Every structure is written in structure tokens, then in C-alpha cells.
Amino acid sequence: MYKIVKAEELAKNIYLMEVEAKRVAHSCKPGQFVIVKLDEKGERIPLTICDYDKDAGTISIVFQTVGASTQRMAELKAGDSFRDFSGPLGCASEFISESLEELKNKKMLFVAGGVGTAPVYPQVKWLHNHGIDADVIIGSKTKDMLILEDEMRAVAGNLYVTTDDGSYERKGLVTDVIKDLVNNQGKKYDVIVAIGPMIMMKFVSLLTKELNIPTIVSLNPIMVDGTGMCGACRVTVGGKIKFACVDGPEFDGHLINFDEAMKRQQMYKSDEGRAILKLQE
Ligand code: NAD
Ligand code: FES
């Protein structure tokens, strides 16, 4: 059993939980994810790691209630436990394998959309802790939905916040900020890392292809076993089949077939809908 040591609602329907998982905390790296299970018969829920404390042996996860399982998860409190907490799964962020010398000469921009801010945070924090301050854009629908702003400000070089409705800081989408930084402010980036809803990653990748900036995205498709056996997380990258759980979750954004990936995600949503109906029976 994996004990929850902290549970808090960050914004409406978005929760942060800190969970005791010593082995995962000891070996995880930014970019990796875990698969959690509430109980013996529970659905396996893949979640990117938002933070980790190797000394305390804890992992922070952030999730949004999108279906029956995440709704049940949101009801857990500090002191409750998860039945399973498997990880770390997937590959660590690509930049971790580069030398610090190389990284210090690289100008990086992270683009975080909504709940996708959670998986961006450990990457920017890791870079900050190694003396590299990357620029970060956070896009949120409204001021109320914005998460981890203070935490990100503490580790980012420059932080640009934008809201779709203009209720806080700038008004507009993350792509508007990228255009402003690159076209109007003359910022030059060697690589952009974009993590958020699939539609955001698609449009960021289309824009950065035009701007000729290499772009990494982190996919969170349907996952079942998380070990490359079931095929649920299949995505097409550069015309080749890849499994997000073992080959990813990070991929070259310019090579992903986003339309196919979004169609598969839609299928998942209807399964979730069925699960909610079952709970209400
Ligand atoms: P959201 O809909 O609030 O979008 C966040 C930001 O993305 C917006 O503020 C906007 O700036 C940008 N955006 C959205 N559509 C865009 C478009 N068409 N063009 C340009 N920019 C656009 O995000 P949310 O509600 O937090 O998203 C939830 C989704 O994020 C879920 O589907 C979840 O699966 C996904 N998610 C993905 C990851 C990941 O690892 N990729 C992690 C957590 C959540
Ligand atoms: Fe089964 Fe990736 S989740 S192959």
C-alpha cells in the first residue's frame, strides 16, 4: 500500500497528492510517469510525476477529474492509500542525458498548458537546480484554473502567464505568446518543450515547424499495462508505430500524427463515460 501524505485541491477539479513511494522516488527522473491503482479491481491510471523528494521518499502527482476513477481518487484524503503505484515508467526527458556544458549553451522554452503544467514543473526545476534557467509559458483557461504559478516562478528564468479569457496577465493562447516572444521580442530558442492538451501540442508543433524550432511534446494517451505489451498507447511518429509507455512519453512534435492520436483519445472518453454510468447504476 502507498500512503497519501498530502492531498489538496489546486483548482476546481484539479488535485495534488503527495504519496509515499520510496523506490519510485529514489529512481525517478523528470519526464517519467507512474501508473496508479486505487484497489484490486481499480482502473490503471497513468499520471506524470509532478515532483519528487528522494530524501522523504515521496512523489507528487497532479490529476484532473475526467472520469469515474479520477473522481473516486479525488475523494481520497491524507492517510488513505493507493493499492498500486508502479513506476518510474517511460523514458526520462531527453535533456537529462546531455552534458551540463551543452545544456548551458542551449536556450530552452517550456510551454505548459493547463494540467500539463504539472509535468513541466520537475523538468524546469531540475534545470534550475543544475544552474540553467529556462523560459516558461503557462496557459490557462481562466485565472481560477491556473496551477503551480508560484512554484514555477521560483525555478523559471522568465515566466509568461496567459489566460484564454484575459482574466489574469495576458489574454490569448500559448501560441500567441510564442509568436510574440519570437517574432516581436526577438527571442531565440534552440528547443521548445510543450506539454498540455493534445490540441495545444498539435498547434504549438505546427507553429514551431513554421518557425523552424525543434519541439518535444509529452503524450498521455490511453495506457493499460505501461510495459509495451498491450498496444493501447500506440501512436504514429514519423510514419512508424511507437508505444508512448516505453518509447515515450516524449516525442518529436513535428513527427506526430496528432489527428490519429486525438481520435484514439476520444474513444477513451466514451469508455470513461460508460464507467460513470455504471457507477450511477
Ligand atoms: P486547457 O484546455 O485549459 O488548455 C490549456 C492551454 O492550452 C490553454 O490555456 C491554451 O493556452 C492552450 N491551448 C488550448 N487549445 C489550444 C489551441 N487550439 N491552440 C493553441 N493553444 C491552445 O487544458 P486542460 O483543460 O488543463 O487540459 C486537459 C487535458 O490535458 C486533458 O485532456 C489531459 O489529458 C491533458 N494533459 C496532458 C498531459 C501530458 O502529459 N501531455 C498532462 C496532463 C494533462
Ligand atoms: Fe500497453 Fe503502452 S500501455 S503498450
Side-chain angles (χ1 to χ4, degrees):
M1 300 295 272
Y2 299 84
K3 197 166 135 199
I4 298 165
V5 291
K6 182 174 149 191
E8 78 176 283
E9 190 172 9
L10 294 180
K12 194 172 185 307
N13 297 331
I14 304 175
Y15 298 84
L16 179 143
M17 284 179 184
E18 208 176 301
V19 183
E20 260 176 18
K22 281 196 176 58
R23 199 185 49 79
V24 185
H26 183 72
S27 52
C28 76
K29 295 195 177 83
Q32 292 186 295
F33 66 96
V34 291
I35 292 188
V36 306
K37 234 171 102 171
L38 285 173
D39 48 41
E40 193 68 51
K41 290 187 181 153
E43 187 194 346
R44 292 161 63 81
I45 307 167
L47 294 165
T48 23
I49 293 168
C50 170
D51 204 359
Y52 49 87
D53 183 332
K54 290 187 192 291
D55 296 329
T58 56
I59 296 280
S60 299
I61 48 173
V62 170
F63 62 94
Q64 190 171 28
T65 50
V66 288
S69 300
T70 43
Q71 257 164 29
R72 276 183 62 211
M73 222 167 110
E75 283 155 24
L76 298 178
K77 304 272 172 285
D80 292 336
S81 298
F82 284 100
R83 171 74 174 76
D84 275 344
F85 201 89
S86 315
L89 299 167
C91 306
S93 301
E94 214 176 84
F95 64 77
I96 303 270
S97 56
E98 293 178 37
S99 73
L100 287 180
E101 233 18 78
E102 270 176 290
L103 283 174
K104 276 180 183 152
N105 291 323
K106 226 178 200 183
K107 196 70 195 139
M108 295 179 80
L109 172 67
F110 286 80
V111 182
V115 191
T117 307
V120 166
Y121 175 67
Q123 305 199 19
V124 179
K125 184 178 169 186
W126 187 95
L127 287 165
H128 176 75
N129 289 346
H130 288 83
I132 299 148
D133 286 337
D135 285 355
V136 179
I137 300 170
I138 301 182
S140 173
K141 281 193 194 80
T142 63
K143 182 180 194 291
D144 295 346
M145 298 298 286
L146 181 65
I147 60 166
L148 302 171
E149 183 193 5
D150 293 342
E151 290 82 350
M152 198 69 95
R153 202 173 291 285
V155 294
N158 296 295
L159 176 65
Y160 308 93
V161 176
T162 187
T163 47
D164 299 8
D165 65 351
S167 52
Y168 186 56
E169 300 266 345
R170 296 165 178 241
K171 181 182 194 308
L173 304 174
V174 292
T175 38
D176 297 323
V177 185
I178 300 174
K179 279 185 220 160
D180 182 37
L181 293 177
V182 175
N183 295 336
N184 304 333
Q185 299 192 34
K187 290 263 192 179
K188 297 209 181 319
Y189 294 106
D190 298 304
V191 64
I192 289 181
V193 177
I195 310 182
M198 201 80 87
I199 189 79
M200 178 203 96
M201 297 191 284
K202 173 182 169 173
F203 281 101
V204 167
S205 299
L206 285 172
L207 172 64
T208 58
K209 198 166 186 179
E210 249 175 59
L211 297 171
N212 206 16
I213 307 173
T215 298
I216 308 281
V217 298
S218 177
L219 299 184
N220 66 333
I222 314 153
M223 285 193 194
V224 181
D225 63 349
T227 62
M229 303 293 283
C230 72
C233 66
R234 175 169 63 82
V235 283
T236 308
V237 184
K240 295 197 177 100
I241 300 288
K242 298 278 176 190
F243 297 117
C245 68
V246 287
D247 301 318
E250 294 187 354
F251 294 104
D252 181 339
H254 296 164
L255 297 180
I256 290 179
N257 184 336
F258 280 106
D259 293 336
E260 179 197 64
M262 283 191 283
K263 249 186 219 156
R264 286 179 63 80
Q265 207 175 41
Q266 214 47 43
M267 272 163 44
Y268 176 67
K269 278 190 184 152
S270 57
D271 281 343
E272 282 282 279
R274 279 196 284 277
I276 290 179
L277 287 176
K278 228 176 171 183
L279 266 187
Q280 291 172 344
E281 274 169 9

